[in-house]
Amino acid sequence: MASRTTTKVTHYHVQKKRRAEFLESWRANRRTVVTAEDVTLHPSERGHRIGVYVGVDGDRPTRTMDAMVHEFDPGTTTTIHRHSWDAMVFVVGGWGWTEIDGERIEWGPGDSLHLPAWSWHRSGNEGETTARYLTFSSEPMLDTMGMSVLEDAGHTDVAELPGRPPYTETMAGDDPYARRVRRLAREQNDRRSGRLHTSWDDLELLPTPRGTRTTFLLDRAIGYRASGITMAMFEIAPGRAQSMHRHPGEAWLYVVEGNGHSYLGTEPEGGERHPWKKGDLIIVDHFLWHQHLNDNPDRTAKVVRIHMFDSLLETMRVLTDPLVLFEEPPDHIRDAQAGDPTTVDWPEVVRPTWP
């Protein structure tokens, strides 16, 4: 007699219960602002200190991205490691270096780096003051698919370590398998030739109709080939606001300079306002209406925004059609919220400091 495996409950009831439990647990993890004081730094076996703004390893689970802070004392060199996800780096204080697959990149406050998936990398500080940077990675998204892999090789020289996973570069024929081989090879070639570093000195912030001036830090528009994470910085004029909008997916906003508050709500009115200051992380959850306001009448506020866009939202564009991926009020309301950007006397762009 054939054996049968059954839950004794219909597929319909299992899936309905599973979805309800998932949403309930996710609502319990929602946050709005994680302050700098909420983040505890721990000594790590890699040789530096590390803390979690958001991420399951800091007991603040997320779904697509995490946010961590790293500190390097003078004379520090971390172990070398690699992982199946990629990460973006934003330096907030001090000077140091990062080696990526044997290429050494010097960095300072305000610089940005991309750590590609499966690249061997380590960081160090040969200066006289503590260096500090934040990382934003796609590890949570890879983890949901069971594809998060991490390998630490101590202080081994990179020349003695294996390279990134090999792949077949070409195959003749027009059958689906050969076409897949060539397509994935093109994708790997593209990703492995992407940009790795943006210097603060090269940034140019441009005014926008939303009441801010902004620039990309890491994005495919300026030559990066990441897994989908994009990182930009915007500056809010003294006493002014960025216009309201909403979008699917999680977004983190790290406050580089200044203080203010954010409106977060399921509707354009009736939501809550959450204060923030330098060093805090603003958490914008899926499809919340939000607006960021600078409470200082004399100084601008700078915010770095991290969003999982290219991969996640390009997929959602198909799955959620005809829902829009970015929604804001009509132009006349947007302009009233943002004010006239041409009337702002923007200050000189200077490197951030920490603390």
Side-chain angles (χ1 to χ4, degrees):
M1 178 182 295
S3 62
R4 296 180 180 179
T5 301
T6 176
T7 61
K8 298 296 185 182
V9 182
T10 69
H11 163 269
Y12 167 81
H13 290 94
V14 170
Q15 290 287 65
K16 188 173 182 179
K17 181 175 183 290
R18 182 182 297 165
R19 289 171 183 146
E21 290 174 344
F22 172 83
L23 289 175
E24 188 62 31
S25 66
W26 179 239
R27 290 189 182 106
N29 290 321
R30 282 183 177 172
R31 288 169 178 82
T32 51
V33 174
V34 178
T35 70
E37 294 77 17
D38 291 332
V39 180
T40 302
L41 287 167
H42 303 271
S44 80
E45 291 297 318
R46 296 197 67 209
H48 71 330
R49 290 184 295 277
I50 186 169
V52 179
Y53 274 90
V54 283
V56 68
D57 299 311
D59 300 320
R60 299 187 183 103
T62 60
R63 290 295 169 189
T64 59
M65 306 179 297
D66 60 17
M68 309 178 85
V69 61
H70 309 254
E71 279 194 351
F72 309 86
D73 287 332
T76 294
T77 298
T78 68
T79 61
I80 191 166
H81 74 178
R82 65 176 179 175
H83 31 72
S84 55
W85 60 91
D86 67 340
M88 293 185 166
V89 173
F90 182 74
V91 183
V92 297
W95 301 80
W97 55 269
T98 296
E99 177 188 273
I100 305 174
D101 281 339
E103 178 181 349
R104 178 168 162 143
I105 298 172
E106 307 282 342
W107 44 255
D111 286 7
S112 309
L113 296 92
H114 180 219
L115 306 175
W118 291 116
S119 64
W120 289 105
H121 54 278
R122 62 180 137 212
S123 296
N125 177 4
E126 296 173 355
E128 297 180 355
T129 59
T130 298
R132 180 183 179 101
Y133 66 50
L134 280 82
T135 59
F136 308 96
S137 89
S138 58
E139 191 278 332
M141 186 173 70
L142 271 288
D143 186 55
T144 62
M145 298 181 285
M147 298 175 65
S148 287
V149 181
L150 188 151
E151 181 180 8
D152 194 297
H155 293 284
T156 306
D157 190 280
V158 70
E160 302 175 24
L161 297 170
R164 299 189 206 178
Y167 62 93
T168 302
E169 295 191 10
T170 188
M171 179 172 288
D174 196 40
D175 61 279
Y177 181 72
R179 293 178 65 180
R180 172 174 288 187
V181 167
R182 294 193 297 270
R183 173 175 61 82
L184 296 181
R186 289 193 299 270
E187 173 71 13
Q188 282 301 310
N189 280 323
D190 186 48
R191 288 189 180 275
R192 298 185 187 199
S193 61
R195 187 175 173 182
L196 297 176
H197 178 222
T198 298
S199 171
W200 178 270
D201 293 330
D202 296 332
L203 298 180
E204 181 182 12
L205 278 72
L206 301 175
T208 75
R210 296 177 59 203
T212 61
R213 63 173 178 171
T214 184
T215 185
F216 279 123
L217 298 177
L218 295 147
D219 188 86
R220 64 181 179 182
I222 56 173
Y224 288 89
R225 296 294 180 264
S227 63
I229 310 178
T230 178
M231 187 159 71
M233 183 173 67
F234 64 86
E235 187 172 20
I236 310 172
R240 304 280 282 267
Q242 181 193 52
S243 61
M244 187 173 292
H245 60 286
R246 69 172 180 171
H247 47 71
E250 299 167 314
W252 315 145
L253 296 101
Y254 176 77
V255 183
V256 181
E257 300 285 353
N259 63 283
H261 69 276
S262 295
Y263 169 89
L264 298 171
T266 56
E267 300 292 340
E269 296 180 338
E272 297 181 351
R273 298 179 182 273
H274 303 275
W276 44 257
K277 65 185 185 312
K278 178 178 179 175
D280 293 352
L281 190 76
I282 307 162
I283 300 175
V284 178
D285 206 354
H286 178 78
F287 259 127
L288 283 183
W289 284 102
H290 54 284
Q291 182 182 24
H292 310 295
L293 304 93
N294 180 2
D295 292 338
N296 193 313
D298 302 313
R299 300 183 61 184
T300 63
K302 292 188 183 71
V303 177
V304 169
R305 185 226 65 196
I306 304 91
H307 194 19
M308 180 66 74
F309 186 83
D310 293 342
S311 57
L312 183 66
L313 292 196
E314 286 297 328
T315 301
M316 291 181 70
R317 186 192 305 276
V318 178
L319 298 180
T320 64
D321 184 64
L323 293 177
V324 298
L325 296 186
F326 182 88
E327 185 177 4
E328 59 182 342
D331 288 357
H332 70 283
I333 298 178
R334 178 202 66 191
D335 295 343
Q337 292 176 342
D340 183 358
T342 64
T343 63
V344 178
D345 184 16
W346 294 104
E348 179 185 357
V349 178
V350 296
R351 285 185 181 268
T353 59
W354 184 266

